[in-house]
Amino acid sequence: MEVYKELNKQFINGEWTDGTEGHTVENLNPYDESVINTFKGASTDDVDRAFDSAKEASKTWSVTPPTERQKVLLKAANLLQERKQEIMDWLTKEVGGTYQKAEVEFMQTYQMLIESSSFPMWMHGYTIPSMTPGKQSLVFRKALGVVAMISPWNFPLYLSMRTVAPALAVGNTVVMKPASQSPVTGGTLIAKLFEEAGVTKGVVSVVVGKSSIIGDHFTGHPASSLISFTGSTPVGKGIGRIGGEGLKKLALELGGNNPLVILEDADIGNAVDAAIFGRYMHQGQICMSTNRIIVHEKVYEEFRDRFVQRAKALPYGDPTDKETVIGPLIDNKSVKRVLDLIDRAVKAGAKIETGGKAEGNVVQPTVLIGVTEENPVFQEEIFGPVVGLTTFKDDQEGIRLANATQYGLSSALHTKDLQKGIRLAKQIEAGMVHINDQSVNDEMNTPFGGEKDSGVGRFGGQWILEELTTLQWISYQDEYRDYPI
């Protein structure tokens, strides 16, 4: 099978073409900073062409028989499997993902396509009794039209597909704007899959360009009915303001500062295993990553010693080495930001137990102890392989600390008392709580989303269906209606 070509092009109205703005976007390998490929950046005119073609294509795609849309999604899933090694290689070289991370992302993407292939059959309507004699009321579920999708660089293939696949399944068309650090795995690779799977012109488009040039124009484009965005809270709030002005629907999955609370009766071995995965998977560059570990003071020393020992032993370096657990951060700017956070945390009273340094763009797995509620490493989203340990005296203080930030995406809690765990979980201000597990969980048929500054809307299962569709009430009189005027 020939590898995909022209992945450094814009895909607009079924054609692969260069952007017309005049600037370029260099796609860099985050481990060695070599240039993978270069895009000629999109202009606002290119964005207009993408949205105009999507709006036109939605007229026919929305009424395409559900079995035909289902066939496209299943074909895309089969193609994904056939091209697994090619796609895994892209996930490693473009975003610095380790083999383990690439495997997880690949499988999630495949499962999302399979789950979404059932959505064309979920477009159920209603008949509603009318209070008016002779009136029949029907409610139809309809596709929104055009969906604008802005994807992040950390899990670009999956976090793009979790919007694109269900959107197409229910009859929407999609215009994608991937992050500049992952234009292939978050954009053009997906367009290639669906092109080969048989979507018609305009159903899927991708524009790659600098946000400073096309970002606001893309976000506010009048052709779109919904903006799907995954990324930081400050950027998400800006997108929300622009979308609000256009009265668009919003599905925003934003930042997370996710706690893992370890109660006095927790299984410490299980808690250590969960915390290692939850913190260090993909170098901690996941919105759901375990950002704060909050431990009951009576089990703190045992947990600390075992956790630090495990963290010290994690292999870090080249992501193409299958033994590597900690690969590079996405770029050197991120490395400097994380090192600065470590420095500020230490100045605020924390102590480095292990790590604290960087080798190129690889930050060593780092553990900080003596972290208080006021410490910047407690309050800020880290997005790197760094974590702080904080203690508490009783369950209520543990829950208070879990809730003591502006975020509320995911969380975890460890206890041997399941009923107590559920009771306390309900007190955590987060969209998701995982008992005797860690915070990095995402399943295709569950409601994924956050509270507070972690976003609005829900992805997954029937909940994303609600986001991507609208309801229309149609009534008719089957007998004469007597009007009062």
Side-chain angles (χ1 to χ4, degrees), residues 26-262:
E26 282 193 335
N27 189 12
L28 301 180
N29 182 316
Y31 181 64
D32 59 16
E33 298 187 321
S34 61
V35 178
I36 303 171
N37 56 23
T38 302
F39 287 73
K40 292 184 178 179
S43 65
T44 54
D45 288 341
D46 296 327
V47 172
D48 288 341
R49 288 194 300 115
F51 276 108
D52 290 346
S53 66
K55 188 171 184 178
E56 184 64 27
S58 71
K59 297 175 184 178
T60 53
W61 182 251
S62 62
V63 295
T64 298
T67 51
E68 293 302 311
R69 297 200 302 270
Q70 185 178 60
K71 285 178 183 178
V72 168
L73 290 158
L74 291 174
K75 175 67 172 176
N78 289 335
L79 289 168
L80 189 83
Q81 287 283 16
E82 290 172 9
R83 294 182 175 275
K84 180 175 181 178
Q85 192 56 55
E86 178 184 354
I87 291 167
M88 293 271 287
D89 290 344
W90 269 108
L91 289 170
T92 296
K93 68 185 177 183
E94 188 170 57
V95 297
T98 63
Y99 176 82
Q100 296 93 331
K101 182 265 185 183
E103 185 72 48
V104 168
E105 183 168 6
F106 178 89
M107 186 52 61
Q108 283 184 304
T109 305
Y110 176 75
Q111 290 170 350
M112 178 55 71
L113 282 164
I114 296 300
E115 171 76 5
S116 297
S117 70
S118 68
F119 286 8
M121 311 303 176
W122 287 20
M123 297 290 280
H124 302 154
Y126 308 89
T127 59
I128 299 175
S130 176
M131 290 170 277
T132 302
K135 179 182 289 294
Q136 304 298 324
S137 285
L138 309 175
V139 179
F140 292 88
R141 185 175 294 280
K142 300 169 61 177
L144 289 173
V146 181
V147 171
M149 194 276 298
I150 306 171
S151 66
W153 49 259
N154 57 337
F155 264 67
L157 184 66
Y158 171 65
L159 293 178
S160 297
M161 195 66 81
R162 74 171 180 182
T163 291
V164 175
L168 297 180
V170 300
N172 295 300
T173 57
V174 181
V175 182
M176 295 185 276
K177 181 188 174 298
S180 296
Q181 298 97 325
S182 55
V184 173
T185 51
T188 56
L189 180 60
I190 295 170
K192 279 287 187 184
L193 283 171
F194 280 109
E195 181 187 36
E196 191 175 356
V199 295
T200 52
K201 283 187 175 183
V203 172
V204 174
S205 289
V206 181
V207 290
V208 177
K210 294 180 179 178
S211 293
S212 58
I213 296 173
I214 65 171
D216 287 355
H217 189 71
F218 180 96
T219 303
H221 201 282
S224 70
S225 297
L226 177 141
I227 305 169
S228 172
F229 170 76
T230 301
S232 72
T233 295
V235 174
K237 287 182 176 181
I239 288 171
R241 283 190 289 270
I242 295 172
E245 290 176 0
L247 298 179
K248 300 177 186 294
K249 293 183 74 174
L250 299 169
L252 308 178
E253 192 240 293
L254 308 180
N257 189 348
N258 312 295
L260 190 159
V261 181
I262 301 169

Side-chain angles (χ1 to χ4, degrees), residues 263 413 415 417-426 433 435:
L263 302 184
L413 182 150
T415 177
D417 185 339
L418 182 58
Q419 293 305 313
K420 179 173 73 171
I422 293 173
R423 185 175 69 253
L424 293 175
K426 291 180 178 180
V433 185
I435 298 171

Side-chain angles (χ1 to χ4, degrees), residues 391-402:
T391 62
F392 65 91
K393 294 182 179 181
D394 56 44
D395 292 348
Q396 288 310 307
E397 184 185 13
I399 299 303
R400 185 190 66 78
L401 287 169

Side-chain angles (χ1 to χ4, degrees), residues 360-376:
N361 283 348
V362 179
V363 175
Q364 298 170 345
T366 300
V367 181
L368 298 165
I369 64 170
V371 173
T372 62
E373 181 180 344
E374 297 77 20
N375 196 291

